[in-house]
Amino acid sequence: MKGKLISILVVLLSTQVMSFAQPQLFTVEKAAEYFKEVKAICDRDNGKLWGMSMWVPTLFIDYGTRHLVANEQDINDAFVRKGDVYTGKFPEDKIIANSTTNLKGKSWVMVIAPLPHDSYIRNQLVIHEMFHYIQDKLGLTPAGRYDNNHMDEMEARIYLKLEWSALNKVIVAGNDSDKKNALTDALIFRAYRRQLYPNAELSENRFEMHEGLPDYTGHKLCTSSKEELKEKLLQSAEYAWYKESYVRSFGYYSGFAYAYFLDGSDWQQHLTSDTDLAKLVQNHYNLTLPQDIEKAQEERRGLYSYQEIYDSELAFKQKKDELYAINKQKFEDGATLILSLQAPNVGFDPNNLQAFGDKGAVYPNMMLVDVWGSLMVQEGGCLLAGDWETATVSAKNIKINGDEVKGEGWELKLNDGYTIVEDGSGYKMVLKK
């Protein structure tokens, strides 16, 4: 990406953030209790899974007030100690998300508060984010950006679901022979999808490594037995199946599943950020794929409800095509405001992205902070170019009032030195002269 520093912050707007409208109380005492639970889980692991402690600097940040509770002191001793935790205020110019962040030279995990009431869901979420903190130390942070827009195309979705259907058979298989047969089928469907999209392999691998390993880690540390871990994997499979978009969501389950099949071996010693976890599984179980992948998938797909999946995805494609036409009218045919991106921090819901061909993806709701200010999109969408060089919103009914700019469903706040000017039939952001 031309050396550009990008921070991708995943915000589950459809679940956790939206739950803020419900009467929930986030207190220092409750945060301390939650930290105690997570520390017990990390102490129980004691570095066994990844060779280092999972207990890392972490912030629980109230999304509405920006008040935070931390499990350790700020680098400048700016937090106030209250018992075993520390309190402070999260900066106004930073996005709050389930991710990692940097405060005055110190790296932190941040988790949106109020946190889920369910203790398992809450602890798994926190451990997931804590893994992102150690991911770089393990050399498993993606070396480059990954773009999986193809995962919302009909054939990609069909063969992803066939792969998942076969993986589900592996999970519940009663004997080794059935397990190996279903696992081979999963790998055949995966290989065929990658034949259809030959340039997507690296990007898919990176996403599965980046988000699948944290999900596996969270579930692995929060369960007490192999049987319980299997139950959580099956629940994850069902949840993943019905996602509106797979562009930024498929890797959570796929990565978790393949890591699960490697569980108990020394597989963690052989990873890079680009590792194909499925290849590790294939080697671990000594599986051989047929030479003619296309013929093999045609022979096997009927065992995994191919026609039912096809019919469902055909209906989805028709809806997606209608949505594409709406986005085309909005972002190609209509007036737009184009913002150049330099060092963006982007928060979004990974479950509702809308692929927009080779032009990028439309993010229905998102937050974006860059050197020029901040953009909040609540509805109507923002088109992020495939290379993340620009962000585009509709300029219909745009209102420019100094450093505050509003459109239908979005609001832009500009820092000093930037302004919006007309550019042909649309608008663009420029430096003030």
Side-chain angles (χ1 to χ4, degrees), residues 355-404:
F356 198 54
D358 59 3
K359 301 170 186 66
V362 175
Y363 294 67
N365 48 347
M366 66 174 296
M367 299 171 288
L368 194 158
V369 175
D370 209 324
V371 296
W372 38 257
S374 62
L375 173 69
M376 171 69 78
V377 179
Q378 294 177 319
E379 58 182 37
C382 174
L383 171 62
L384 288 185
D387 55 6
W388 283 43
E389 294 291 330
T390 60
T392 302
V393 290
S394 170
K396 185 178 181 181
N397 295 327
I398 190 172
K399 292 180 175 63
I400 303 173
N401 183 19
D403 60 358
E404 293 189 359

Side-chain angles (χ1 to χ4, degrees), residues 160-280:
L160 177 65
K161 284 188 168 182
L162 287 170
E163 178 186 358
W164 285 355
S165 295
L167 291 180
N168 289 344
K169 271 195 176 181
V170 181
I171 298 168
V172 300
N175 57 66
D176 288 345
S177 177
D178 289 345
K179 178 183 291 188
K180 286 189 174 184
N181 287 339
L183 194 49
T184 300
D185 289 341
L187 297 176
I188 288 171
F189 298 137
R190 180 183 178 92
Y192 184 65
R193 183 182 69 248
R194 292 183 169 192
Q195 285 186 5
L196 297 175
Y197 303 93
N199 297 321
E201 181 173 340
L202 180 59
S203 193
E204 288 187 17
N205 291 346
R206 285 177 172 173
F207 184 32
E208 290 172 345
M209 292 292 293
H210 190 219
E211 293 295 353
L213 291 188
D215 233 37
Y216 159 78
T217 301
H219 287 294
K220 173 70 174 175
L221 267 59
C222 290
T223 52
S224 57
S225 67
K226 184 76 172 181
E227 189 62 29
E228 186 183 5
L229 183 59
K230 182 173 79 170
E231 291 175 6
K232 296 302 180 183
L233 181 59
L234 289 170
Q235 291 173 12
S236 295
E238 184 174 4
Y239 179 63
W241 188 274
Y242 296 103
K243 292 290 179 69
E244 183 178 342
S245 169
Y246 292 146
V247 172
R248 284 273 181 184
S249 66
F250 80 91
Y252 289 79
Y253 171 64
S254 290
F256 176 15
Y258 284 113
Y260 169 84
F261 296 131
L262 293 165
D263 196 56
S265 66
D266 64 346
W267 62 282
Q268 297 99 320
Q269 311 302 317
H270 311 292
L271 302 178
T272 73
S273 61
D274 296 341
T275 293
D276 185 342
L277 290 171
K279 285 284 179 63
L280 291 186

